[in-house]
Amino acid sequence: LNANTKISTTGGGSINVTGAENAVGSLGHFAIFMEPASSITGSGAGAAITLTGDSLVLGESGAGRGLVSGSGTFTIQPRTVGKTIGVTRASGDLSLPSSYFTSHFTDGFSDINIGSTTAGTITVGGITALSDNTAFITGANIAVNAALNAAGQTLTLTGGNGGTVSGDGNITAADLLLNGSGTTYALNTATGNNVGTLAASAGSGNI
């Protein structure tokens, strides 16, 4: 999206943006590039926003940053099967810095979904604060190598069949849902997990 470009919907309509990586040009080779002061806004109850691409860049910071806002479900997912996701300094094809969650994704979504059932491994590499109910979803593994702070929110970790959800990052959440068929969970090495309610609909392991 060029600078100052605004995409919005009213009455609960959905917004779907899909991008493919290209040769380097004026906006770089990224699948989805939001230049400064561009925005995507879903208005109305239940308005869903979905960004699908193997890379995402939200321009600048401060008042001119690219913003995504709404009150419905917000989904960010790779376009290509098996592409990995790196959260907060972790390596991954689709990189999501911690600032995206605090400064670019406006608080108020009913749910934020990171990944999909066809995504590759999701790795959390640095402290990440989550202001809305958030689900990390993959067809492979989830590595929680740093703290996930979802205080007052529901955090869902959905691993792939035969995959693992592990790591020593401390998890803070009002509710933690472990929701992966055939997934092994090993989150018992963290020293300061703070979870109000723990629920598991599938999988096995140690928490």
Side-chain angles (χ1 to χ4, degrees):
L1 302 182
N2 290 326
N4 298 304
T5 298
K6 301 183 188 304
I7 297 176
S8 63
T9 184
T10 59
S14 298
I15 297 175
N16 296 283
V17 177
T18 299
E21 295 180 340
N22 296 305
V24 174
S26 60
L27 297 182
H29 67 284
F30 304 104
I32 299 175
F33 193 130
M34 294 180 63
E35 287 195 328
S38 59
S39 64
I40 298 175
T41 305
S43 300
I49 298 174
T50 301
L51 304 183
T52 302
D54 294 338
S55 55
L56 171 67
V57 172
L58 304 180
E60 299 299 331
S61 59
R65 63 191 182 276
L67 290 174
V68 184
S69 60
S71 58
T73 298
F74 176 33
T75 299
I76 307 168
Q77 59 188 7
R79 183 170 182 264
T80 304
V81 172
K83 288 290 187 179
T84 60
I85 300 173
V87 178
T88 312
R89 298 196 302 273
S91 61
D93 299 301
L94 175 56
S95 179
L96 302 175
S98 61
S99 61
Y100 284 11
F101 296 93
T102 57
S103 300
H104 295 269
F105 306 155
T106 303
D107 184 12
F109 290 104
S110 60
D111 300 278
I112 295 179
N113 297 322
I114 306 299
S116 70
T117 56
T118 63
T121 292
I122 299 174
T123 305
V124 179
I127 297 172
T128 305
L130 305 170
S131 299
D132 298 301
N133 298 329
T134 302
F136 292 91
I137 306 167
T138 177
N141 309 309
I142 299 176
V144 184
N145 295 334
L148 280 174
N149 185 356
Q153 309 298 328
T154 296
L155 176 65
T156 303
L157 302 177
T158 302
N161 190 355
T164 61
V165 175
S166 61
D168 57 6
N170 293 324
I171 294 175
T172 301
D175 305 290
L176 175 61
L177 174 59
L178 307 180
N179 181 29
S181 177
T183 304
T184 298
Y185 290 88
L187 298 171
N188 58 322
T189 58
T191 58
N193 286 336
N194 184 1
V195 174
T197 301
L198 173 65
S201 63
S204 61
N206 298 304
I207 310 300

